[in-house]
Amino acid sequence: QVQLVESGGGLVQAGGSLTLSCAASKSIFTLNLNYMGWYRQTPGKQRELVAKITRGGSTIYTDSVKGRFAISRDNAKNTVYLQMNSLKPEDTAVYYCNANYRTSNSWGQGTQVTVSS
């Protein structure tokens, strides 16, 4: 079971950028990994997928962030990133890192992103 810690959230004006980091307690991209993902959640709403990166490096984004966000990884640092550009107020949420393996599913505690108008 991998432990995940998110960081990098904060307050930014609309149009600005932030980079979120997800640091893992051990190697992430092993043969049993399905994908690493970033999700977000606001009060009263369900947690939604933002972006995924598979073991092989393929990426998937939800339509609302395509062209603005980029998920990436640094295998040596056991870290996944979410580069967020052209931020909008509707991007405001708690962002969670997820590690989905064949036999386990791990979540971080989340990091708050607030975008002001």
Side-chain angles (χ1 to χ4, degrees):
Q1 187 76 15
V2 64
Q3 305 301 121
L4 306 174
V5 179
E6 303 97 334
S7 62
L11 175 64
V12 64
Q13 293 185 10
S17 299
L18 284 174
T19 299
L20 305 183
S21 298
C22 174
S25 60
K26 61 181 181 180
S27 180
I28 300 173
F29 294 94
T30 56
L31 291 177
N32 66 332
L33 178 72
N34 293 321
Y35 62 84
M36 296 291 296
W38 284 99
Y39 292 73
R40 65 187 181 189
Q41 187 170 25
T42 57
K45 296 182 64 178
Q46 296 182 7
R47 188 171 299 184
E48 67 169 343
L49 173 71
V50 178
K52 289 182 177 181
I53 183 166
T54 70
R55 181 179 63 252
S58 298
T59 57
I60 300 171
Y61 300 91
T62 192
D63 287 345
S64 63
V65 308
K66 287 181 179 177
R68 300 189 296 120
F69 291 11
I71 187 170
S72 62
R73 69 191 187 197
D74 186 330
N75 293 357
K77 295 182 178 180
N78 296 324
T79 301
V80 176
Y81 304 95
L82 184 67
Q83 176 66 48
M84 305 185 294
N85 301 314
S86 301
L87 283 162
K88 304 175 181 179
E90 52 262 44
D91 295 319
T92 295
V94 177
Y95 284 71
Y96 297 90
C97 183
N98 170 246
N100 184 272
Y101 293 89
R102 293 174 184 172
T103 58
S104 66
N105 195 38
S106 298
W107 293 89
Q109 294 301 307
T111 184
Q112 176 71 48
V113 172
T114 302
V115 184
S116 65
S117 59

